[in-house]
Amino acid sequence: IVETSKQCNLDKDVDLLSRKKGQKYFNYIDNIKTNKLAMAVKLADLTDNYLRRKQYRTSSKVDKQKIKKYKKAYKSLTGHSIKSTIDHI
């Protein structure tokens, strides 16, 4: 029974991390706030994506838009800027 409960919780975590077709991005981010594990995974994902895009010598318009989206999502989840968090790493 314990194993089934853990699997059920993991299924919920993964489900929260899977953005549904037609779901607005920031509604998806708001849903992630309800689950600590899903939030930790998403924060790591946002940080990785942000750092990869920031390392490009030149940023396209799409890169700049995505960076802006990552920063807004990170702040929505944590209340802190992604840059201030990364500066402490």
Side-chain angles (χ1 to χ4, degrees):
I1 294 176
V2 172
E3 204 56 42
T4 304
S5 176
K6 285 182 182 180
Q7 183 61 44
C8 182
N9 287 339
L10 186 57
D11 290 347
K12 289 177 185 178
D13 299 336
V14 172
D15 185 57
L16 281 171
L17 288 165
S18 304
R19 187 169 158 210
K20 311 301 180 280
K21 186 175 181 177
Q23 184 178 26
K24 294 187 186 264
Y25 183 74
F26 284 96
N27 289 341
Y28 158 72
I29 293 296
D30 285 340
N31 289 341
I32 289 173
K33 289 179 189 179
T34 65
N35 182 288
K36 288 182 182 183
L37 179 59
M39 195 162 120
V41 170
K42 188 61 184 173
L43 290 172
D45 180 51
L46 289 168
T47 302
D48 180 61
N49 291 341
Y50 174 84
L51 289 172
R52 278 191 292 121
R53 293 217 182 243
K54 288 296 277 185
Q55 74 183 0
Y56 299 157
R57 287 182 186 236
T58 57
S59 296
S60 69
K61 183 178 180 178
V62 171
D63 292 327
K64 290 176 184 174
Q65 290 171 339
K66 290 198 178 241
I67 287 168
K68 184 177 179 179
K69 181 173 83 169
Y70 301 149
K71 288 164 67 173
K72 185 175 177 182
Y74 193 96
K75 186 158 189 155
S76 174
L77 289 170
T78 67
H80 304 287
S81 75
I82 194 169
K83 188 172 180 342
S84 68
T85 302
I86 290 169
D87 288 344
H88 289 85
I89 296 175

